[in-house]
């Protein structure tokens, strides 16, 4: 049997859809007999499932994972265990010992990992400075609306210790929610999708204000919260808006203003950008989250808690 773990520097990488490597373990008689690191070459969610299936992987161990990725894995007949962090070797040993519990789908539209930090190899330069030449890769179209039930981007990992205190912190919480702007427009609703979202409270899997609102809720309780940008997706970062030469970004000559595409960071991981301006020679891209700078309102219902 083969077990794959999302991998980065010996640790479980925290977003399946944007892992640049898997560590593949061969197991016989419930013991690890060999392992190797496999590069994903920036492959997307559904193709990652196919990549694993083609490698005869039967089990995936990961951190965050969205509904679309889970569906692709299930279609490929691959078992998954999410919500795992720490050393990858230890994670596989824990799985073989029956000590790992999956947190299920734990990434959604309001995931913490939509943030991109320029200083850690995120969107800032996209490889267009002299020190990182060629690291941006080609543009790829983003035909989806929003995140499609998954995580739209990943710049880092979830923390290993809680961000705040609360009765539900460290527990897997299932919640339904409806999100609206201040004018009453609904921008997202788990009720419309027919299933609640799951996440480990206090571990940065959700935007801060949403996460903290759930910390003291009781099962069956509903609350309404208003979040300013600093509690949601942050203010608009001017440094996340950058201009590059079209000739330096293969495929950008075919893009149009307001189109959403993906670039790759210096680690080969995709991140979304929006075309905001284009001339004959240059193109200006905005890597801010689409909700950056916006106040959000949520009606939250706590459906279930698992220790």
């Amino acid at each position: 049997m083969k077990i794959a773990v999302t991998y980065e520097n010996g640790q479980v990488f925290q977003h399946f859809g944007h892992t640049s490597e898997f560590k593949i373990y061969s197991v016989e008689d419930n013991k690890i007999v060999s392992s190797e690191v496999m590069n994903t070459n920036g492959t997307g969610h559904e193709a990652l499932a196919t990549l694993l299936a083609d490698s005869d992987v039967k089990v995936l161990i990961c951190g965050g994972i969205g509904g679309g990725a889970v569906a692709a894995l299930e279609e490929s007949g691959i078992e998954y265990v999410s919500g795992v962090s720490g050393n990858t070797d230890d994670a596989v040993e824990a799985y073989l010992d029956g000590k790992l519990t999956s947190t299920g789908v734990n990434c959604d539209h309001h995931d913490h990992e939509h943030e991109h930090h320029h200083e850690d190899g995120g969107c800032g330069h996209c490889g267009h400075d002299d020190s990182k030449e060629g690291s941006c890769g080609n543009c790829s179209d983003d035909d989806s609306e929003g995140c499609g039930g998954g995580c739209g981007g990943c710049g880092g990992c979830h923390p290993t210790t809680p961000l705040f205190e609360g009765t539900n912190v460290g527990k897997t919480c299932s919640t339904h929610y409806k999100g609206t702007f201040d004018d009453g427009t609904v921008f997202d609703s788990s009720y419309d999708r027919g299933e609640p979202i799951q996440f480990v409270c206090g571990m940065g899997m959700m935007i801060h204000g949403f996460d903290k609102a759930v910390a003291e809720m009781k099962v069956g309780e509903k609350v309404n919260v208003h979040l300013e940008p600093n509690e949601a997706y942050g203010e608009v970062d001017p440094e996340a808006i950058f201009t590059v030469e079209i000739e330096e970004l293969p495929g950008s000559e075919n893009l149009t203003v307001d189109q959403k595409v993906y670039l790759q960071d210096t680690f080969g991981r995709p991140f979304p950008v929006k075309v905001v301006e284009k001339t004959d020679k240059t193109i200006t891209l905005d890597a801010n989250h689409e909700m950056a700078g916006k106040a959000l309102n949520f009606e939250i219902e706590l459906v279930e808690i698992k220790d």
Side-chain angles (χ1 to χ4, degrees):
M1 178 178 73
K2 289 187 178 180
I3 300 174
V5 187
T6 51
Y7 183 82
E8 185 178 60
N9 298 324
Q11 302 294 303
V12 180
F13 185 67
Q14 289 301 296
H15 181 25
F16 167 74
H18 297 288
T19 187
S20 59
E21 295 177 317
F22 287 112
K23 191 167 185 180
I24 310 294
Y25 296 80
S26 294
V27 176
E28 295 178 5
D29 298 324
N30 217 44
K31 299 291 183 182
I32 298 172
V33 295
S34 65
S35 64
E36 62 177 338
V37 175
M38 178 175 68
N39 195 292
T40 67
N41 296 315
T43 304
H45 290 72
E46 294 184 3
L48 284 175
T50 301
L51 178 67
L52 294 177
D54 290 345
S55 300
D56 295 322
V57 169
K58 300 301 181 184
V59 178
L60 167 74
I61 297 173
C62 64
I65 192 167
V70 166
L73 289 169
E74 291 177 344
E75 185 175 349
S76 298
I78 299 174
E79 174 190 348
Y80 75 96
V81 182
S82 62
V84 181
S85 61
N87 181 273
T88 56
D89 295 351
D90 293 343
V92 174
E93 292 288 358
Y95 172 81
L96 295 174
D97 291 340
K99 296 179 180 178
L100 286 188
T101 301
S102 180
T103 61
V105 176
N106 53 23
C107 286
D108 196 76
H109 290 274
H110 311 296
D111 192 281
H112 163 80
E113 293 186 354
H114 282 286
E115 298 175 8
H116 298 278
H117 301 283
H118 311 291
E119 58 270 15
D120 63 5
C123 352
H125 300 290
C126 290
H128 292 286
D129 63 353
D130 293 337
S131 64
K132 299 178 182 177
E133 183 177 357
S135 64
C136 65
N138 295 337
C139 290
S140 60
D141 291 333
D142 174 19
D143 295 326
S144 62
E145 291 294 331
C147 310
C151 296
C154 181
C157 300
H158 295 307
T160 56
T161 56
L163 299 175
F164 47 80
E165 297 181 352
T167 304
N168 300 330
V169 169
K171 300 177 182 179
T172 300
C173 297
S174 296
T175 66
H176 266 306
Y177 67 89
K178 180 174 71 173
T180 60
F181 296 121
D182 284 345
D183 64 2
T185 302
V186 177
F187 60 81
D188 192 18
S189 172
S190 65
Y191 294 102
D192 292 344
R193 293 193 296 275
E195 61 179 4
I197 57 169
Q198 288 188 344
F199 61 96
V200 180
C201 185
M203 302 305 293
M205 293 181 175
M206 305 295 287
I207 56 175
H208 186 76
F210 189 108
D211 201 4
K212 199 163 186 178
V214 176
E216 297 291 350
M217 290 181 66
K218 295 180 174 59
V219 173
E221 183 180 0
K222 290 184 178 181
V223 300
N224 290 282
V225 295
H226 173 81
L227 306 181
E228 290 298 322
N230 66 317
E231 299 174 291
Y233 293 102
E235 299 291 351
V236 174
D237 181 3
E239 293 186 5
I241 303 172
F242 52 96
T243 301
V244 296
E245 297 290 331
I246 290 176
E247 64 181 17
E248 295 181 8
L249 191 60
S252 63
E253 64 274 9
N254 299 319
L255 301 182
T256 57
V257 173
D258 291 333
Q259 188 171 354
K260 296 178 182 178
V261 297
Y262 280 91
L263 299 183
Q264 290 183 356
D265 67 14
T266 54
F267 300 102
R269 298 175 302 201
F271 64 90
V273 296
K274 180 179 179 179
V275 180
V276 293
E277 186 177 346
K278 187 179 179 184
T279 69
D280 291 340
K281 295 184 177 181
T282 65
I283 187 168
T284 301
L285 304 168
D286 185 354
N288 282 289
H289 189 276
E290 61 184 353
M291 295 289 195
K294 296 181 179 180
L296 307 177
N297 303 288
F298 289 98
E299 176 186 295
I300 306 171
E301 177 185 1
L302 182 57
V303 178
E304 184 181 17
I305 299 175
K306 297 179 182 178
D307 291 326

